[in-house]
Amino acid sequence: LRAHIAAAEPRAPPVDARWLFATCGASQAIDLVASVLCSAGDLVACEEPTYFLAGQIFRDRGMRAVPLPTDAHGLLVDELERLLESGAIGRGRLRLVYTVPAHANPTGATMSTARRAQLARLAHAHGFWVLADEAYHELHWARAEQPARMATFDARYTRASPGAGVDEDAVAAWARDEPPPPSAARAELAAGGCISVGTFSKILAPSCRLGWVEAPPVLTRALRAHGYIDSGGNPAYMADSLVTEALLAGGVREQLEQLRAAYARRSAALAAALREHAPECSFSEPEGGFFLWIRLPPWAGTAQDVQAHFAEEGVRVLPGHVCSVLSRGRSPLAGGGEAEQDGVEERMGGATPEECALARVLSTHAAGVAARMQLARHVRLCFAQLDEDELAQGARRIGAALERRKAEVAGAASP
């Protein structure tokens, strides 16, 4: 399967098969990477807002999460650089930066090429790994060219890529499964780099739990040596075999073309219906992916304030506050920054005074990020599973729910 992914189009730049490792979907890939690269107490910085189930994967590994702000072009890398350069995050404390860089869940934003290059430089300079969840990378339908996968920004990639001077001795050693000396492998893993995670569940079938990690060979080799993999072998052998046949037959490329066209129509239909039925909501139309990130009108309050009205109209949305890495299903603004700060230190258990001081800095930063992002005033809408008529009906119901909320607010303001 690695060879077929490496040769598949329209993926460009080309994939080096030594950089690929098959997994049971993107979630397992994220968990395996965290288990190999991280230890309990390590920091992971997540873009805010983020994929709402990612934080628990890291917390289950004992990691501590801190949010980083975003804008219409993805992660604000300058903010991360400021934290690193100021010493707020010391070298070795930050182990991962988690991002959904293409058509992000939930915002639909795509990180620019310049920011990806800057993030890669920071990773190499400060010894952390960029973990890019690229589940939506291939669901790009806009005419504008999309930035390359995050793994290709790793400094080692241009030295290893086909056509860029392949190290034939390294390829031969890989084929013979000759690992580098342990000390060299540990040093390279500690030096940081860039990882891309992909999945067929978004581009072939939701039940196809087959994904991959694209990362420097030192990491894919470490994943192969993981105890779980060493004991059980290929974690998705049957799905691997089925997808291989689909790749050979050209079915994946055909499916991708159909999905891009369908999702472009659905996204446009939902956007048009929202402008008609909920004109006071604001949003940017995505160029790929699954989602619209909607800012509610100022008078509506938070998504939780409107939730009962959404339910009355029979429409389900994902409240924005859930998309905070700090949320755990509740608004990060509830209770104020002090409560969250206490929670950070409490979760650290027997932390040293230095670690507690770090927790205070990061929790204060987190509260500031949450306040700026105002996640609670947003909702995420997914257009992937519904046809255009159903999406229009959903937009009408959202508009009706907001009218109910407007009447409720006006009634409360009346003497």
Side-chain angles (χ1 to χ4, degrees):
L1 179 61
R2 289 185 301 183
H4 289 302
I5 294 174
E9 292 294 339
R11 298 178 64 81
V15 183
D16 186 329
R18 294 173 297 158
W19 283 55
L20 292 170
F21 178 83
T23 66
C24 290
S27 295
Q28 190 200 43
I30 293 168
D31 184 61
L32 281 173
V33 166
S35 71
V36 167
L37 291 178
C38 305
S39 301
D42 284 346
L43 287 178
V44 54
C46 301
E47 60 190 6
E48 183 87 336
T50 192
Y51 168 46
F52 72 102
L53 296 175
Q56 193 59 48
I57 296 175
F58 301 124
R59 284 190 289 269
D60 286 347
R61 291 287 173 187
M63 301 176 69
R64 292 172 288 153
V66 59
L68 294 171
T70 59
D71 64 11
H73 304 288
L75 183 66
L76 285 169
V77 183
D78 285 343
E79 179 73 5
L80 172 61
E81 185 169 16
R82 184 189 67 77
L83 282 169
L84 290 166
E85 297 300 332
S86 70
I89 301 178
R91 183 177 178 86
R93 283 173 169 159
L94 179 63
R95 198 66 184 127
L96 291 178
V97 170
Y98 173 77
T99 176
V100 187
H103 315 302
N105 182 357
T107 65
T110 292
M111 192 189 305
S112 68
T113 296
R115 289 188 187 181
R116 294 181 193 222
Q118 180 186 6
L119 184 57
R121 289 194 297 269
L122 287 176
H124 289 297
H126 293 274
F128 63 84
W129 287 85
V130 180
L131 178 54
D133 184 348
E134 309 220 45
Y136 310 98
H137 179 83
E138 294 182 270
L139 296 175
H140 176 78
W141 60 72
R143 291 184 178 180
E145 185 176 352
Q146 180 173 230
R149 305 178 309 280
M150 193 68 222
T152 66
F153 289 85
D154 190 288
R156 288 158 287 204
Y157 198 91
T158 53
R159 297 197 297 268
S161 294
V166 175
D167 186 339
E168 298 296 342
D169 291 336
V171 173
W174 180 267
R176 294 191 301 270
D177 199 27
E178 296 178 3
S183 58
R186 286 195 297 270
E188 190 173 353
L189 287 172
C194 300
I195 305 162
S196 289
V197 168
T199 178
F200 285 103
S201 66
K202 300 294 191 296
I203 61 177
L204 194 56
S207 60
C208 181
R209 310 312 298 176
L210 179 67
W212 64 91
V213 173
E214 184 180 6
V218 66
L219 179 55
T220 58
R221 191 182 295 278
L223 291 170
R224 290 169 60 194
H226 190 285
Y228 167 72
I229 303 299
D230 196 31
S231 173
N234 187 328
Y237 184 79
M238 181 172 289
D240 188 320
S241 301
L242 292 172
V243 172
T244 296
E245 293 301 317
L247 287 166
L248 286 169
V252 174
R253 185 185 305 181
E254 181 180 348
Q255 170 81 347
L256 263 173
E257 291 173 354
Q258 294 174 356
L259 286 177
R260 290 178 185 134
Y263 291 157
R265 291 193 304 270
R266 294 173 189 178
S267 173
L270 178 57
L274 285 169
R275 291 191 181 100
E276 179 180 356
H277 299 292
E280 293 184 76
C281 290
S282 57
F283 57 89
S284 297
E285 287 197 50
E287 297 182 338
F290 280 10
F291 307 110
L292 260 67
W293 182 241
I294 311 298
R295 182 176 176 84
L296 299 174
W299 48 260
T302 69
Q304 288 176 306
D305 294 331
V306 193
Q307 192 64 44
H309 302 301
F310 287 142
E312 289 170 359
E313 293 295 334
V315 64
R316 295 181 64 183
V317 303
L318 185 70
H321 74 270
V322 175
C323 299
S324 170
V325 73
L326 303 176
S327 173
R328 303 182 186 223
R330 63 177 178 83
S331 170
L333 302 181
E338 182 177 350
E340 180 59 36
Q341 176 175 313
D342 292 341
V344 171
E345 295 196 25
E346 182 180 344
R347 291 196 299 272
M348 292 178 67
T352 66
E354 181 185 27
E355 290 172 329
C356 287
L358 174 66
R360 293 189 200 97
V361 170
L362 294 181
S363 59
T364 300
H365 163 75
V369 171
R372 275 179 284 169
M373 300 306 296
Q374 296 188 344
L375 303 188
R377 295 183 178 274
H378 290 75
V379 297
R380 191 201 73 176
L381 304 182
C382 178
F383 50 78
Q385 293 179 301
L386 304 175
D387 63 30
E388 287 94 320
D389 290 340
E390 291 170 323
L391 291 166
Q393 182 181 13
R396 285 193 293 271
R397 294 182 181 186
I398 288 172
L402 289 171
E403 287 300 315
R404 286 175 179 267
R405 173 59 179 164
K406 181 182 285 187
E408 180 182 59
V409 171
S414 299

